[in-house]
Amino acid sequence: CCTYILLEFCATLTAVGIGRERSYRGLIALFWKADLAELEVLCNQLYEGTDLAQRMQAEKVLLELIDSPECLSQCQLLLEQGTTSYAQLLAATCLSKLVSRTTPLPIEQRIDIRNYILNYVASQPKLAPFVIQALVQVIAKITKLGWFEVQKDQLIFRDIIADVKKFLQVRKIIQSCCYLKLHSLALNSALFSPGPLLAKPLNLQDQQQQSLAMHLLKLVLNCLNFDFIGNSADESADDLCTVQIPTNWRTIFLEPETLDLFFDLYHSLPPVLSQLALSCLVQFASTRRSLFSNPERAKYLGNLIKGVKRILENPQGLSDPGNYHEFCRFLARLKTNYQLGELVMVKDYSEVIRLIANFTITSLQHWEFAPNSVHYLLTLWQRMVASVPFVKSTEPHLLDTYAPEITKAYITSRLESVPVVIRDGLEDPLDDTATVFQQLEQLCTVSRCEYEKTCALLVQLFDQNAQNYQKLLHSSNRNPLEITVQEGRLAWLVYLVGTVVGGRLTYTSTDEHDAMDGELSCRVFQLISLMDAQLPRSSNEKVELAILWFLDQFRKTYVGDQLQRTSKVYARMSEVLGITDDNHVLETFMAKIVTNLKCWGRCEPVISRTLQLSLMSATYILLKKLVKIDAVKFMLQNHTSKHFPFLGVNDNYSLSDLRCRTTFYTALTRLLMVDLGEDEDEFENFMLPLTVSFETVTQIFNNSFKQEEAKRMLIGLARDLRGIAFALNTKTSYTMLFDWIYTSYLPILQRAIELWYREAACTTPILKLMAELLQNRSQRLNFDVSSPNGILLFREASKMICTYGRYLLMFSLHVMFNINTIVSSSCCASLDYVVTYLFKHIAKEGKKPVRCREISQDGQRLLHFMQQNPEVLQQVNLSTVSSEVLLNLIYESMNRALLGLMGLRQQYFSELRASLITSQPDNKREVLDQCFRNLMEGVEQNLLLKLRILDRFPTPPPQCGPGLRVLY
């Protein structure tokens, strides 16, 4: 039992030490004066109750009891007399929160809690595992948070790791713990304890043996997963694939018995444990290269490959999804951390690469089994193929043999999945576009290896399926199910053609390869014509999304400023389609965009993807080509709901469908800007549809006032104008928009804010539009000296903010929430301006000549208001900002505002300072008082305007916490 506690403590300490502690179900379970029966009833309602209202009530009761002085005694009552594991878990959770509070418990009390838990766990061998874990976590937290605690000149919470030096930062403490002690305490215990387990058959029916093995493996995994250099922002990310093992762990990694041990554990343990062994091997395969010399690294890699071969020759364990997933990760890490030139030199490389290829092909064929693991297999082959040009070894890499087989397996398996998905009603992989795109981007590199084989396969499959589809369309007895199956296969084929065409940018290509791309592209362009001919009578969303993927890949590869017009891609396309160069391709693109915007108005995914294809990121040269195309000219002159239904306000459309209008008008306005110059008439003509819509809204407001219709129109208009404003990045064009909107239409937006201030679906687009109008992008707001536009814009923005804020406060008073850095900084800057303005007038009061006093009437009115309402700056701002500083919920932009507030309300600041000092524990009051004295030393009232808190105030003493350091 002691070994069990020690292992659990080490595992918990390494996990807690990372500094990203997980809250346990978000609950704070602290108790009140109640008998045991009542507490257990609450526990049962909280953890296993099915009645949501009952659970919420139980949680509410427990949350209200956080400061109960009887908390510890009630915890002890639950631990010693509770009849369920939930009662014990609740007590453990309570203790965890108690020892983690900002105001810590006395040292003696924490020592008592630690000793009590150790004795309790030792005397209760039948505790549930999750109860033991929760209790041991309390001990780990006491150790971590009490690292600096001193009693009688002894660092009392360091007795577990006595030889750790004194550190000033928590991060260094944790690193020291792992470097110096976990090497002997954790790794040695974990690595050498499994040996006796394997010396005799493991009794899987013995819960203690199985539990011990699980905790040993978890301990090793926690040690290997530790972020040794502190650069991993996200522990769940799998892209940081190198484990920075400390040098003093080197001897363990050099011993071949270490790897053999974990491969043996994988083959000996049941799946619930063997996948932990594989997880450890993933980390072993990710060990930093600099830990070994070149011969040592080659030997280490050879041992890893030997283990891979053993697993693949005995694949029974891989039928478990957990083992399968970890093994796929293991294979991907091998290529991530070792070069192809190193892999081919391994003794059994040719046999192992054959086994891996067969394993990959089998995995792809069973597409429904562990689909999330395919990512790692494709990662392996993508990186292997991408490394081929850099291999200098004379040993054969054999990728030209196996890469085409991998590509073929992926293509055929996806086509074969379509009828199964439709027949059995399974989840369609095509619906998960994020996963599809990720896999295709990996496959594009693999597919270009021995591209002739891949191209021939795709041509054969495309022709076969396209012919079958045409026969079904012209059949007198059309079978909808067969048509759906054929369309699903065509969707996959279009995706795959787009993938291999896009792969030209990732792999060395030749003119012959370009000709093959042209051969494949011809077929997709022919399919586009076939599908568009059926609109709007019949359509298939998945085929359309696939076509848009292909067009995007083709554009990236073969349409651009540097395109060679003699590219072989156009040879076959010219013969079949009459497309001779990229200008003809652009015409086809824009015709497709117009068709989709006309016919797919009710399908948000297609509209959204179509607009993303509309060359928003195109260069100026490419935009110059686009504006000459008839389809573009048509859109610039006819952007109305008559031609593009998604611009309408039909009740059948949801409000979220209107979001794509911003993207549409951004792209359209960028095209308008190419030749606009200073032509105001051209701009007025472009804005005519929006002018008509605003006039319609005005009439609705003045007459019948159909709220729902007006609301929908204004939401759409706000989104349209935001897209236009975003694209107008010159002073001249922005001024045209301002002149158009200011006099006639800003009042309508103000009126909408007054009417629908409680409806975020309406206010958010309007406020975002106003924010965009206020963006001084590319200095577009630098109006002429004689122009009042800057003042007018400020007045309208201020009016809208005040209107919205006033109405919002009427129905809410005030909603507390966490704000991001941008909002916090802006608020603090605004507060600093107001405080500085006030302080200037206070400092100069009575010093100005009589002839100048009329000029500062606004300042006088503001001073008078503040004198009548001192609590505005006193209670709300000074108290709030000060509290945020001390609670660590502050950004440094608060410093400037806080300085001025302290000067304006010195008496209240003194009272607040005394209150803050009094609220601290006895052992910290003197430190905080000295900090405040140092803070204000030498800072007089007449200096407040000249000094800035970051430049003048003294360096904080080391005893200060992070919050007070920010205050300094």
Side-chain angles (χ1 to χ4, degrees), residues 729-880:
N729 288 331
T730 66
K731 176 182 173 181
T732 301
S733 60
Y734 178 87
T735 302
M736 293 181 188
L737 175 63
F738 182 84
D739 293 340
W740 178 88
I741 195 175
Y742 170 70
T743 306
S744 302
Y745 306 129
L746 279 181
I748 297 178
L749 299 179
Q750 295 279 6
R751 177 65 173 153
I753 290 290
E754 295 175 1
L755 289 172
W756 300 304
Y757 61 90
R758 299 182 67 168
E759 301 183 39
C762 182
T763 58
T764 299
I766 295 176
L767 293 173
K768 283 186 175 181
L769 166 61
M770 185 58 69
E772 180 57 44
L773 290 173
L774 295 170
Q775 285 288 338
N776 190 24
R777 191 179 299 106
S778 302
Q779 301 298 310
R780 63 183 184 177
L781 298 187
N782 286 347
F783 300 108
D784 295 335
V785 176
S786 59
S787 172
N789 288 351
I791 298 172
L792 297 176
L793 182 61
F794 171 78
R795 185 176 68 181
E796 292 299 323
S798 303
K799 181 181 178 182
M800 184 170 290
I801 293 172
C802 293
T803 300
Y804 181 65
R806 182 172 66 253
Y807 281 102
L808 198 64
L809 289 174
M810 287 173 57
F811 95 94
S812 65
L813 293 180
H814 185 62
V815 180
M816 297 297 294
F817 60 93
N818 291 328
I819 55 178
N820 59 40
T821 308
I822 297 176
V823 176
S824 172
S825 300
S826 300
C827 292
C828 290
S830 300
L831 181 60
D832 182 38
Y833 292 145
V834 174
V835 170
T836 302
Y837 183 79
L838 270 173
F839 194 87
K840 283 183 178 179
H841 282 279
I842 291 175
K844 296 181 179 180
E845 182 69 15
K847 297 182 180 179
K848 290 186 177 180
V850 177
R851 60 185 177 85
C852 296
R853 290 196 175 181
E854 294 183 358
I855 300 176
S856 60
Q857 288 182 358
D858 291 339
Q860 293 293 336
R861 285 196 296 269
L862 182 58
L863 286 175
H864 178 72
F865 173 79
M866 287 303 185
Q867 290 170 356
Q868 298 296 320
N869 304 276
E871 70 281 357
V872 171
L873 291 179
Q874 176 174 298
Q875 296 178 356
V876 178
N877 292 329
L878 182 54
S879 178
T880 300

Side-chain angles (χ1 to χ4, degrees), residues 266-267 269 271 274 278 311 314-324:
Y266 163 74
H267 289 286
L269 296 175
S274 59
L278 279 176
I311 291 176
N314 302 275
Q316 296 84 0
L318 297 178
S319 59
D320 175 74
N323 283 342
Y324 173 79

Side-chain angles (χ1 to χ4, degrees), residues 668-737:
L668 209 57
T669 307
R670 290 192 71 221
L671 293 167
L672 173 72
M673 287 282 292
V674 172
D675 296 323
L676 179 63
E678 299 182 3
D679 192 340
E680 295 183 2
D681 292 337
E682 182 68 18
F683 183 79
E684 291 286 343
N685 290 333
F686 176 76
M687 298 297 290
L688 186 59
L690 283 79
T691 303
V692 173
S693 297
F694 263 116
E695 295 299 333
T696 303
V697 173
T698 303
Q699 293 176 7
I700 295 175
F701 275 0
N702 294 336
N703 300 319
S704 59
F705 189 43
K706 298 177 181 178
Q707 287 204 23
E708 197 60 33
E709 181 182 356
K711 188 190 307 179
R712 283 179 170 272
M713 292 187 69
L714 279 174
I715 292 172
L717 284 167
R719 295 190 186 280
D720 298 346
L721 287 172
R722 183 181 169 211
I724 293 173
F726 182 83
L728 297 177
N729 288 331
T730 66
K731 176 182 173 181
T732 301
S733 60
Y734 178 87
T735 302
M736 293 181 188
L737 175 63

Side-chain angles (χ1 to χ4, degrees), residues 504 511 514 557-570 580-582:
R504 181 183 186 273
D511 288 343
D514 289 353
T557 308
Y558 288 109
V559 178
D561 301 339
Q562 307 301 323
L563 180 70
Q564 296 180 1
R565 292 180 176 273
T566 58
S567 174
K568 294 290 185 179
V569 75
Y570 292 113
T580 58
D581 56 27
D582 60 334

Side-chain angles (χ1 to χ4, degrees), residues 351-368:
E351 178 63 16
V352 171
I353 196 66
R354 182 187 66 81
L355 291 171
I356 293 176
N358 292 337
F359 171 73
T360 305
I361 291 171
T362 303
S363 299
L364 293 174
Q365 291 171 343
H366 294 82
W367 52 269
E368 73 284 0

